[in-house]
Every structure is written in structure tokens, then in C-alpha cells.
Amino acid sequence: MKGALLINLGSPNSTSVKDVKNYLDEFLMDEYVIDKPYFFRALLVKGIILNTRPKKSAAAYKKIWWDEGSPLIVLSERLHKKVKEQVDIPVELAMRYGKPSLKTGIQKLVDQGVTEIYLVPLYPQFAMASTETILAFADKLVKKHFPKVTLSDLPAFYNRPDYIEALSENIGKSLNKAKPDHLLFSYHGLPERHIRKSDVTKSHCKLDGSCCKTPSPAHEFCYRHQCFETTRLVAEKLNLKEENYSVSFQSRLGRDPWIKPYTDFVIDDFAKDGLKKLAVVTPAFVSDCLETLEEIGMEAKDSFIKNGGEEFTAIPCLNEDEKWIKTLSSWINTWATN
């Protein structure tokens, strides 16, 4: 029997400093997120980050928390409910960090008689710190606790025509209302070394401005290329002029070089250079979360206005968009019938 498991990032259980600290501990101690040897990772996370960041992060979560709970969890649950109504096999929801756990999600499917599970990471672009850690952890769990279960997974869908159509239509609605002077595609950032580590050719990804445009087998797992390709396809769909949109990367952590350009720098420069109306979309996420609601919708907006901008539009993620739900459901149904 077949079943599908929708998997998103996760969230703290509450906005308390304790819960945020527990969440960050699980998240940042993942070897696919901070890819350092255990000793150095523990020294950095437990010795430094967890002694300073939880209080600040808890305050940020409080600014965006809903009465029902974490926006990312609530939106993922709504998505799950609507997908279930459109597919012909059991579907459950799990988070890579926090609750409901990946193990709980698999167990729920197994309890319904499922022996073949379709893992559906809710990330359009592939990255070590998102898709790869989900697949690796799920494989580990199955081998240890569910030896009769087989796994397959939905590949990165950054360039699938039906996804691009849903994303473009969603963006277009906001553009028609806001009529901005410029559209910024802000993707979650990654350390440059993650890009190089994911390069299956071990030589293509030089981050020199041209490698992402040069055809290569490396692109199958290159987050940076996939971000630029998503942008190109959406711009093409929306008939955007090249000078009216751009790409940047947000949410960097630590002192190591991350992929550029940095969103906060770009937004401030736009305002200082006289741009008055800016819209920002965050296509690395399918559900609104801390990084979209607080970092972009609040911090970036405040900075843009402070530096001379006048109108700032944070475009919502796909969330419960009907075309997105129909698209996701069709992918699951197609897998189930093969």
C-alpha cells in the first residue's frame, strides 16, 4: 500500500525562550545544516549560539505568532488537510525539526498499512540543509524502525511548469495590486561551501557568475542555479523586463561567506538609490514563516522605509493557493498510480 508524507522545516512549540532553544539545538546540530565535525559544531552551537540567539529568536517569533500557533505549522496543516481531500492514498504531515516529527509521520502511515512512502519535501530547490537532510534522516529512521517500508521521493520541483504557473499566478496577483517599480526574488541563503559540496562533478560550481548559466550535471543538486532558474522562468511567465527584477539571498548565519548578493544590503541600496516602490517574493518557501513574515515583512520593510523607500510589498508564499494544492495533489496521485 502506498502513502505520501509532506515534510516542512518545523518550528518551536511556542515562543518561550526554552522552546526556541530546544528547536534551535535540534536544527543547528544537524550535520547537514552546520557541516562541521561534531566537536566544532557542538562548540559553536551549544557553547555560543544557544547562549545568545534563543532570546532574540523568541522575540522575533512572538512578533509573527498566530493565535492558532506557529504560522508555518498552521499553514502546513491547512495544506495537508486540503491535499488529503484531493488524493487517493493516505497522506500525513511531518516536520524535519520539532513536531510532528518525521518518525511520527512515518508511523502514522505505517499504522494505516502503508509500506511504500513517497517523501514530499516542501522545498522547490534542492539543498543539503533542506532536502538532503530530510532524505538522509528518513532513510535512517526507516532502516532502524521500519525495515519493511520502502521510500521514494519527489525531486526538486523548481522548474516544473505547473509549479511555475502556480507561483507566477500567485506573484502576479500581488504585482497587479502593488504595481512596484522593482520585484526582488529573495531566497534563503546558504554557505558557499554547501554549493561546492553538492556539486556532483566536483569542479563545475565556481560561484563566478557564469557557472549557474553553463549547462552541467551539477545543476541537478545546485541550489544557486535552481534559484536563478526559478526566477528566470517566473520572469518569463510574467513578461518581466530584466531591469525590473533581481535575485538576492537572505538569513545568513556566522562569518563564513554565503552566496551573494545579500538581501538586506540589496534592499537598503535600492532605497538609498531612490527606488520608491519595492515588492519582495520568497520562492524558497511554500509556506510563510519567520523568514518571510518577520525578516522580510517587518525588518526588511522597516529598513527600506527608513532608507528612503515609500512602499514595500511582501508577497505571500503559496500557502493555501488552490492551484498549488491542485498541483501538489496531482504529483502525488501520479506517483500513486505508477
Side-chain angles (χ1 to χ4, degrees):
M1 183 177 177
K2 293 184 174 182
L5 187 60
L6 307 179
I7 310 162
N8 215 330
L9 174 70
S11 175
N13 292 335
S14 76
T15 60
S16 73
V17 174
K18 180 181 178 181
D19 281 345
V20 171
K21 184 175 182 178
N22 289 338
Y23 171 75
L24 290 176
D25 188 14
E26 182 183 6
F27 175 41
L28 297 176
M29 281 303 294
D30 183 347
E31 62 183 323
Y32 290 92
V33 174
I34 297 182
D35 53 326
K36 302 282 188 181
Y38 180 85
F39 174 79
F40 294 103
R41 186 165 70 251
L43 187 64
L44 174 64
V45 175
K46 298 180 183 296
I48 301 174
I49 297 176
L50 294 184
N51 289 317
T52 57
R53 194 175 181 89
K55 187 175 180 179
K56 181 181 178 182
S57 294
Y61 275 110
K62 284 179 182 177
K63 287 159 50 174
I64 59 106
W65 209 259
W66 293 350
D67 290 341
E68 306 100 303
S70 161
L72 181 141
I73 301 295
V74 174
L75 289 166
S76 297
E77 289 173 343
R78 292 176 184 173
L79 175 71
H80 172 224
K81 181 180 178 181
K82 291 184 177 181
V83 168
K84 282 177 69 175
E85 295 170 354
Q86 296 188 27
V87 302
D88 304 320
I89 60 174
V91 180
E92 294 297 338
L93 174 68
M95 300 293 149
R96 174 60 183 88
Y97 314 102
K99 298 177 181 178
S101 71
L102 204 50
K103 184 180 178 183
T104 297
I106 295 172
Q107 186 66 63
K108 285 184 176 181
L109 289 172
V110 169
D111 290 345
Q112 295 172 69
V114 170
T115 54
E116 295 181 59
I117 297 178
Y118 191 42
L119 301 175
V120 183
L122 294 172
Y123 301 105
Q125 300 83 21
F126 177 93
M128 276 177 56
S130 55
T131 314
E132 188 172 356
T133 185
I134 285 174
L135 302 183
F137 190 45
D139 184 64
K140 183 178 179 180
L141 286 171
V142 164
K143 286 178 178 176
K144 184 175 181 179
H145 302 286
F146 311 98
K148 296 182 180 180
V149 168
T150 58
L151 299 174
S152 57
D153 60 271
L154 173 70
F157 50 87
Y158 68 99
N159 61 351
R160 291 182 67 150
D162 41 5
Y163 162 71
I164 294 297
E165 185 174 339
L167 179 61
S168 300
E169 188 175 295
N170 185 63
I171 294 171
K173 292 174 186 176
S174 292
L175 295 183
N176 290 336
K177 291 180 182 178
K179 301 188 183 307
D181 300 320
H182 194 88
L183 173 62
L184 179 65
F185 290 77
S186 178
Y187 295 86
H188 199 287
L190 285 178
E192 290 182 355
R193 67 178 182 275
H194 280 208
I195 303 297
R196 295 189 177 94
K197 280 189 173 183
S198 295
D199 180 2
V200 293
T201 72
K202 302 304 178 186
S203 60
H204 179 77
C205 295
K206 296 181 173 62
L207 298 169
D208 59 2
S210 65
C211 57
C212 283
K213 299 176 183 177
T214 306
S216 169
H219 291 172
E220 183 180 357
F221 302 107
C222 179
Y223 177 78
R224 189 174 185 275
H225 162 78
Q226 293 179 9
C227 291
F228 279 106
E229 188 64 7
T230 298
T231 302
R232 183 187 71 80
L233 293 169
V234 170
E236 189 177 88
K237 195 81 173 176
L238 293 175
N239 295 313
L240 300 178
K241 294 181 180 179
E242 194 169 333
E243 63 269 22
N244 292 337
Y245 70 92
S246 54
V247 173
S248 63
F249 299 90
Q250 64 185 85
S251 311
R252 62 191 180 278
L253 174 69
R255 297 180 180 178
D256 290 341
W258 284 47
I259 49 179
K260 299 178 180 66
Y262 298 144
T263 293
D264 52 348
F265 290 2
V266 169
I267 289 177
D268 287 355
D269 286 345
F270 277 145
K272 291 173 183 176
D273 290 342
L275 187 76
K276 297 303 180 184
K277 299 173 67 176
L278 176 65
V280 182
V281 65
T282 48
F285 306 94
V286 298
S287 304
D288 275 306
C289 54
L290 185 70
E291 288 81 1
T292 67
L293 297 173
E294 197 271 342
E295 185 178 355
I296 297 300
M298 295 179 183
E299 285 191 4
K301 179 180 180 179
D302 288 348
S303 187
F304 181 70
I305 302 300
K306 179 181 178 181
N307 283 287
E310 293 179 359
E311 295 182 29
F312 184 100
T313 301
I315 298 177
C317 293
L318 285 167
N319 295 328
E320 302 168 77
D321 178 82
E322 290 301 322
K323 183 165 283 190
W324 162 234
I325 291 167
K326 184 177 180 181
T327 296
L328 185 57
S329 301
S330 71
W331 295 343
I332 295 172
N333 281 328
T334 296
W335 172 82
T337 55
N338 287 339

